[in-house]
Amino acid sequence: QVSLVESGGGLVQAGGSLRLSCVASGLTFRSYAMAWFRQTPGKEREFVSRISGSGGISGYSDSVKGRFTISRDNAKNTVSLQMDVLKPEDTADYYCAADRSYQHILAGRADFWGQGTQVTVSS
C-alpha cells in the first residue's frame, strides 16, 4: 500500500521560511516523479513544483520560482520543498504527489497523493 505523508507546515510571518517534507512508502521511490501542489478553499488545486525520479530535472510555477526549492533524497524516500521569502498568498494546504511520468504530474495527473499539510503566512 502506497503512502505519502507530508509534514512541516505551520504558521509563519511574511518573509519567513518553512521546509515541507514528504515521506513515501510502498513504492519504488526513484521510479516516480514527485511534485508539490497547493489548494485554498474555493480555488482549484495549483501546481507548485516537480522533480524527476533521479532528481536531475525540476520545475516551478512562476509564482514560486526563485523563492522555493524542491529536492529529493532517494535513499530516504523523501521529497522536500524549501520555501523562502514567504508571502501571504502562499497560504494554502500543500500536497505531495507521485507519478511515474514527469510530464503527467505537471497537470495533476498523479497516481498517488498525500493528505496535505497546512501553511499559513501572516502579513
Side-chain angles (χ1 to χ4, degrees), residues 17-40:
S17 298
L18 281 175
R19 185 177 181 86
L20 305 184
S21 293
C22 171
V23 179
S25 60
L27 51 72
T28 305
F29 187 67
R30 64 181 180 276
S31 297
Y32 283 79
M34 301 296 294
W36 289 94
F37 288 79
R38 64 188 183 187
Q39 190 169 23
T40 55

Side-chain angles (χ1 to χ4, degrees), residues 7-95:
S7 63
L11 173 64
V12 64
Q13 288 189 331
S17 298
L18 281 175
R19 185 177 181 86
L20 305 184
S21 293
C22 171
V23 179
S25 60
L27 51 72
T28 305
F29 187 67
R30 64 181 180 276
S31 297
Y32 283 79
M34 301 296 294
W36 289 94
F37 288 79
R38 64 188 183 187
Q39 190 169 23
T40 55
K43 293 188 177 181
E44 291 189 357
R45 185 173 53 204
E46 175 190 12
F47 166 77
V48 175
S49 182
R50 59 176 173 164
I51 189 167
S52 63
S54 67
I57 306 171
S58 60
Y60 302 88
S61 67
D62 288 342
S63 61
V64 308
K65 196 175 296 182
R67 299 188 297 120
F68 290 11
T69 304
I70 193 170
S71 61
R72 66 189 293 159
D73 184 340
N74 285 349
K76 297 182 178 179
N77 283 14
T78 300
V79 60
S80 299
L81 186 69
Q82 177 67 38
M83 306 187 296
D84 298 317
V85 195
L86 282 160
K87 304 176 181 180
E89 51 263 44
D90 294 319
T91 295
D93 292 325
Y94 283 71
Y95 297 89

Side-chain angles (χ1 to χ4, degrees), residues 37 45 98-101 103-111 113:
F37 288 79
R45 185 173 53 204
D99 193 84
R100 289 187 175 274
S101 169
Q103 297 303 321
H104 289 172
I105 207 169
L106 177 63
R109 292 158 55 185
D111 289 334
W113 293 87

